[in-house]
Structures are given as C-alpha cells and as structure tokens.
C-alpha cells in the first residue's frame, strides 16, 4: 500500500514560510488525520519522513549524522531534527512552572495588557436589584515589552560529526537547548524582580523589618510565614530560590517533617509546609527569595520558535550555524510576585 508521505517533495523553501514552522508546512502537504487506523497513526509528518528515509535518531542503533545527507531531499530534514532536539533540552527547564500564559507574537516589540484594581474593586460586593455591576478595567501597558534573541552558535565541520551517532549528537544539541532556556529564565527572573518597564517592579521585604519578623540575615520559618501572608488576595504557590536559600530552608525543622521528606525522596520535588512549590535556580541572587502566584505573575511572549540557519545545515556548512530563540516577559499583575531579602 502506497502512502502519501512517500511522495512528498522536500525542498529548502519549506523553511521560509513566515509564521509557519517546517512541520506545519509539512502537515499541510501530508495531514496526520489521513493516517488514523494505520501503523503511522501516532507519528507526525516529520516522523513519517524519517521513516520514509529509514533514519533512526534514537537508541544504540541510531544512524550516523551523514544518513541525513544521502539524498538532497533527506538533507532538508536535518535542520528540523536539530530544532526538535534543541527544544527537548529547553523543556527540562523550570520556566513553564512559573509562567501563567504563553503568547506567540511575530515581532520584536510587544504591548501587554494589565488590570490594576483598587482595594475597593477587589471586593466582590453584592449587587442589589437595579444597581450597576462593579467594573474591572483592563488596559494596555504604557510601555512596550522588548523581546530578546538568545542563542548559541553550533561550531563544527561536517567532517567532524558525519560519523557520529545521532543519539550522541543529540546530547550536545540538548545541552544547547538547556543553555538557551537558562538565558530565558534569567530574563524572566529580571522581569519578576524589576518589572517589564511599566513601573511594576515587585514589592520587596527584608527579614527583620516589619512586616517580616525574625532576625536580619537569618531565614526562619516564621519569616517565611510572614512573607506568605503578604500575598492576599493572591496565593504564594511558587518559590524561586538560589542554592544558599535552598540549603537554609532544608535545615529548618519544619522542612524536616517526615511527610515532606517522603515526598522529596519519592518524587524529587520539594514542597514547602505552606504548600508552595520550591524551585532552585542560579538566576536568583544569593540571599534572595522570589515568591509568586504562578497563575498570574508572568506572561511569556514567544517571538519565534527555535530557529536554525537551515541553509548552512542543509548545505553541510556547519562551521558557524546559529541556533536562536526570541522571547520576552511581561507582568500582568504586579502584586502576584514579591521579593524577600534574607542577607
């Protein structure tokens, strides 16, 4: 039985469509819905092309890099392979755990929206018969949110990698993805701390200074509770901490509760006794804790997916091939993130 994917003509121009990835272009030519009930039902259009050219990218029996370049058409698949593996490296990051929403945007300057209710507007008052319903105003931010291009340069000759297994080559690509994700996380932490340019920096608190109790320079459970109490009407459900603050928390008696320990030992995930998810990252300065309500604190604006210089990759000119991603961050609700300084 002949399948449609076996006759799709692959060419460089499939990467040049504005706002559409290579896979989306491929899906229009070879829709996945046509394969329901077949052996290819669980594969997308790109994976079916790998099957077509018998390219194995995973496991001990993975092919060598040069397998992509056996024909002119199969070489067109190589940039998409690189892009996908780099994205896998980015997915291991904690950014999705602190993002309320993701907005795809084609450009470099983005204007977000925000709602800044007064204390009276936060109250859901009873509406009497015939009375007007209280309003919540949503407006565009005064200043633009700038998106930044982050990336790494892939520096290698085709001769150096042609005989490398794709599974091993993928390790390097995933590391590139992890580097890019760290850069984006650093941008996100900067916006949570200092705002997105619209006068919405996070409120700062210091241990030992009202309303936070305790002794300056020392983290205590009481200080964490006082910090947690500042979030009403939001919920402090996520904590971003550097390595020194993570160690300080783990040494608190309250964090040595048997149930907390069992959860950490069983899942590798540590929750605070007040229910917040604890995330360690070097992007937060030492002696500082960022608390946030991840449902409202941060908007992730994606200016582009992972982009690779497909011409160079297809033509085997790998000496300096850029792998980039464009992203930015906005703060829809200023009060949904706060800073606690310990030392």
């Amino acid at each position: 039985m002949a399948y449609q994917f076996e006759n799709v003509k692959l060419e460089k121009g499939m990467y040049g469509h504005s706002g559409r990835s290579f896979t989306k272009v491929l899906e229009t030519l070879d829709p996945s819905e046509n394969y329901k009930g077949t052996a290819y039902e669980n594969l997308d259009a790109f994976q079916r092309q790998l099957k077509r050219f018998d390219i194995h990218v995973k496991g001990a029996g993975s092919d060598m890099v040069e397998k992509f370049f056996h024909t002119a058409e199969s070489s067109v698949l190589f940039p998409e392979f690189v892009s996908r593996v780099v994205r896998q490296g980015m997915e291991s990051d904690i950014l999705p755990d602190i993002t309320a929403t993701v907005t795809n945007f084609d450009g470099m300057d983005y204007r977000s929206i925000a709602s800044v209710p007064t204390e009276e507007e936060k109250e859901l008052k009873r509406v009497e018969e015939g009375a007007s319903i209280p309003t919540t105003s949503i407006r565009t931010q005064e200043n633009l949110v700038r998106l930044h291009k982050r990336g790494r340069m892939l520096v290698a000759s085709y001769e150096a990698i042609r005989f490398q297994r794709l599974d091993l080559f993928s390790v390097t690509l995933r590391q590139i993805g992890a580097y890019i994700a760290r850069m984006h996380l650093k941008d996100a932490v900067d916006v949570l701390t200092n705002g997105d340019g619209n006068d919405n920096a996070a409120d700062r608190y210091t241990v030992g200074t009202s309303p936070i109790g305790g002794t300056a320079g020392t983290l205590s459970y009481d200080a964490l509770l006082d910090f947690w109490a500042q979030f009403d009407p939001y919920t402090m459900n996520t904590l971003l901490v550097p390595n020194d603050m993570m160690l300080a928390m783990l040494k608190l008696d309250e964090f040595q509760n048997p149930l907390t320990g069992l959860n950490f030992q069983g899942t590798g995930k540590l929750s605070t006794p007040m229910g917040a998810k604890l995330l360690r990252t070097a992007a937060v300065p030492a002696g500082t804790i960022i608390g946030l309500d991840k449902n409202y604190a941060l908007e992730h604006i994606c200016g582009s997916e992972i982009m690779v210089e497909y011409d160079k990759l297809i033509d085997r000119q790998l000496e300096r091939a850029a792998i980039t991603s464009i992203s930015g961050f906005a703060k829809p609700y200023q009060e949904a993130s706060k800073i606690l300084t310990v030392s």
Side-chain angles (χ1 to χ4, degrees), residues 27-94:
E27 283 285 351
T28 60
L29 300 174
D30 179 37
S32 292
E33 60 185 23
N34 294 342
Y35 296 89
K36 291 182 179 179
T38 73
Y40 302 101
E41 182 177 13
N42 296 321
L43 303 179
D44 64 22
F46 173 75
Q47 293 169 327
R48 288 191 292 274
Q49 291 302 312
L50 293 180
K51 287 284 188 182
R52 171 187 176 184
F53 293 101
D54 194 32
I55 300 174
H56 300 88
V57 299
K58 294 181 180 180
S62 63
D63 289 312
M64 296 178 183
V65 172
E66 69 169 358
K67 186 69 174 287
F68 274 103
F69 299 95
H70 279 187
T71 70
E73 284 195 277
S74 63
S75 67
V76 175
L77 299 173
F78 189 58
E80 176 63 14
F81 164 74
V82 171
S83 177
R84 287 188 173 214
V85 179
V86 170
R87 281 200 299 271
Q88 289 175 9
M90 295 181 66
E91 289 170 358
S92 63
D93 192 65
I94 64 175

Side-chain angles (χ1 to χ4, degrees), residues 291-303:
L292 62 137
D293 187 333
K294 69 95 55 181
N295 298 311
Y296 302 98
L298 193 67
E299 176 188 8
H300 184 189
I301 304 106
C302 291

Side-chain angles (χ1 to χ4, degrees), residues 8-17 22 72-73 76 310 314:
V8 174
K9 182 171 178 55
L10 302 176
E11 55 186 5
K12 284 184 182 181
M14 298 173 71
Y15 286 97
H17 292 252
F22 175 83
E73 284 195 277
V76 175
Y310 58 88
I314 293 172

